[in-house]
Amino acid sequence: MQNQTEKLRVGVVGLGWAGETHLKSYLNLPNVEVVALAEPQEVRLTNVGKTYGIEALYTDYRELIERPDLDIVSVATPNHLHMPVTVAALQNHKHVLCEKPLARSGAESRQMVEAAQAAGCVLEVAFNHRQRGDVQVLKNYVDTGALGRVYHGKATWMRRSGIPGMGGWFTSREMAGGGPMIDLGVHVLDMILYLMKEPQVVSVSAATYSELGPRGRGSRNQTLVGTGGYEVEDLATAFLRLADGATLLVEASWAVYGKAADDFGVTLYGTDGGADITVKNYGWEDTLTIYNDTAGVPSEIRPRVWRGEGHQAVVRNFVNTVRSGDWSAHDGSEGMRRTEIIDACYKSALEGREVRVGE
Ligand SMILES: NC(=O)c1ccc[n+]([C@@H]2O[C@H](COP(=O)([O-])OP(=O)(O)OC[C@H]3O[C@@H](n4cnc5c(N)ncnc54)[C@H](O)[C@@H]3O)[C@@H](O)[C@H]2O)c1
């Protein structure tokens, strides 16, 4: 980046739903120009390039990353490529916005954070759901101290029949790093840790199940996108202990026989008040309830929330951070902590015992 008035030049790597969403979000911003795309599927690459008028198209992401005229790279590939693509981009002095989860493991995430620190560049993770209107309102409310000390919380994302891309990279342990816990759980874990001001998670006791997926059940739209097997969990549940004695429950499913369709939310129990966000099928109205006492009797508040901007807000905030020049607090550490907690969940589930985060 030469100066504050020049346009930031962006490349997007991976052009599925997430990559195209990044691309559209950049195109809505002033002083940003998307100049290059990378995607190994040539038809998709050509179509997206044509749709958005982007001429520099690469089937090999390394060619995009080596362009000296790029300031920013968005990484929206399958999870196993987040680390190598991000580290390569950082080594070429690009600021990186990476899709969630930051990586398949805490160890991979650490390599990315170290690369960001060494390059002195921004590394941000796309946690778009924390940009929802209900989450932002609740965050402001929690920050006033009105809930008192939050001593227990729940974060859940439950799908009835929503295994994404059955047989493709999502259901490959090697490529995805896990199932719904790393895919959906990471969003609601992020949401609750953000609301609670980044408490330290000390230990985890978790269990995972793989009951429907391996029998070909629970696939979203009954689609088979690949020939791979079903190698990850379809339900995960975890009990987390925090440094201040508070506890959290985290639950995530892609497929389970239960009443949820595709529902997520958080619950906070505090010493002076409580709150929950209950989202059904990505709805946004009437999702937030705050609980306290009014004149000595239990009362409920239903704040009027707005939809929120999701990825648009993520991309805008990221671009503003890059422009601000104040990058020190944006090295991917937050995203790394989420992956370390998820590591502990999978280790606990495998070994059938409580595991300390980072052990
Ligand atoms: N934040 C969210 O709400 C959200 C939603 C969906 C997906 N995601 C994340 O975004 C990422 C992509 O998910 P998706 O649903 O778009 O998946 P997808 O499979 O639809 O798209 C991934 C794309 O990456 C491409 N790709 C594969 N190898 C590549 C390489 N070497 N170089 C460049 N591109 C390559 C694939 O061909 C594909 O087009 C995942 O990490 C996922 O967790 C986030």
Side-chain angles (χ1 to χ4, degrees):
M1 186 182 30
Q2 307 299 313
N3 62 48
Q4 291 294 306
T5 52
E6 274 185 31
K7 287 193 171 189
L8 289 169
R9 294 168 66 82
V10 177
V12 178
V13 179
L15 297 175
W17 181 87
E20 195 168 351
T21 304
H22 285 225
L23 170 55
K24 288 191 279 190
S25 303
Y26 286 113
L27 293 175
N28 286 332
L29 297 179
N31 294 328
V32 177
E33 194 179 358
V34 181
V35 295
L37 304 175
E39 161 65 54
Q41 296 187 54
E42 286 188 37
V43 173
R44 184 174 289 188
L45 177 65
T46 312
N47 286 344
V48 176
K50 215 177 270 171
T51 303
Y52 298 97
I54 293 149
E55 286 167 9
L57 306 176
Y58 303 95
T59 49
D60 183 343
Y61 73 84
R62 281 167 286 237
E63 290 180 47
L64 178 147
I65 278 166
E66 283 164 9
R67 279 180 67 125
D69 61 335
L70 290 187
D71 304 296
I72 284 174
V73 171
S74 257
V75 179
T77 60
N79 298 349
H80 68 296
L81 295 168
H82 288 188
M83 189 278 281
V85 177
T86 297
V87 168
L90 290 165
Q91 285 172 343
N92 280 276
H93 295 282
K94 316 301 182 203
H95 302 286
V96 175
L97 175 61
C98 182
E99 259 307 330
K100 48 55 62 174
L102 182 58
R104 293 174 298 181
S105 67
E108 280 191 335
S109 296
R110 185 163 293 283
Q111 291 183 56
M112 297 159 85
V113 170
E114 285 172 0
Q117 290 167 345
C121 289
V122 176
L123 171 57
E124 209 74 90
V125 189
F127 286 125
N128 46 310
H129 292 294
R130 70 153 81 164
Q131 300 297 339
R132 295 173 53 90
D134 44 23
V135 176
Q136 289 297 313
V137 170
L138 181 54
K139 172 70 176 155
N140 290 338
Y141 189 75
V142 171
D143 285 351
T144 67
L147 297 186
R149 178 174 50 82
V150 176
Y151 54 90
H152 184 60
K154 296 181 200 176
T156 66
W157 192 323
M158 301 295 286
R159 283 188 188 156
R160 168 76 166 79
S161 192
I163 296 172
M166 179 76 99
W169 72 263
F170 273 103
T171 59
S172 152
R173 179 167 302 285
E174 173 62 20
M175 288 194 265
M181 184 53 113
I182 201 165
D183 181 48
L184 304 177
V186 74
H187 272 303
V188 288
L189 178 63
D190 173 70
M191 214 182 265
I192 203 159
L193 295 178
Y194 169 67
L195 287 167
M196 292 174 68
K197 298 188 200 160
E198 290 297 309
Q200 190 197 346
V201 180
V202 176
S203 65
V204 166
S205 187
T208 56
Y209 308 87
S210 190
E211 299 290 348
L212 277 62
R215 289 185 289 150
R217 300 188 190 183
S219 171
R220 185 195 272 161
N221 308 325
Q222 304 302 314
T223 47
L224 201 66
V225 305
T227 52
Y230 190 93
E231 302 168 354
V232 293
E233 83 278 7
D234 49 27
L235 168 68
T237 183
F239 180 74
L240 280 51
R241 292 184 189 280
L242 311 187
D244 68 353
T247 51
L248 299 179
L249 285 172
V250 181
E251 200 168 43
S253 80
W254 275 342
V256 72
Y257 290 117
K259 73 169 185 279
D262 193 345
D263 303 343
F264 61 89
V266 294
T267 301
L268 300 175
Y269 297 129
T271 49
D272 293 317
D276 59 48
I277 292 174
T278 305
V279 178
K280 294 196 180 303
N281 291 318
Y282 299 89
W284 61 273
E285 288 171 295
D286 216 18
T287 49
L288 171 61
T289 310
I290 291 168
Y291 304 88
N292 51 27
D293 294 321
T294 303
V297 296
S299 64
E300 295 177 13
I301 306 167
R302 307 296 291 255
R304 283 189 206 155
V305 298
W306 62 93
R307 180 191 289 270
E309 290 183 297
H311 273 92
Q312 186 64 67
V314 166
V315 169
R316 185 190 304 110
N317 292 346
F318 168 68
V319 166
N320 287 343
T321 299
V322 171
R323 279 217 177 277
S324 76
D326 181 11
W327 304 332
S328 53
H330 301 274
D331 62 1
S333 293
E334 250 184 27
M336 180 180 73
R337 286 196 291 275
R338 277 85 175 124
T339 55
E340 288 171 342
I341 295 163
I342 290 168
D343 275 357
C345 290
Y346 285 135
K347 188 175 171 72
S348 168
L350 191 67
E351 298 180 6
R353 63 178 180 92
E354 185 159 355
V355 163
R356 292 189 75 79
V357 175
E359 108 176 18

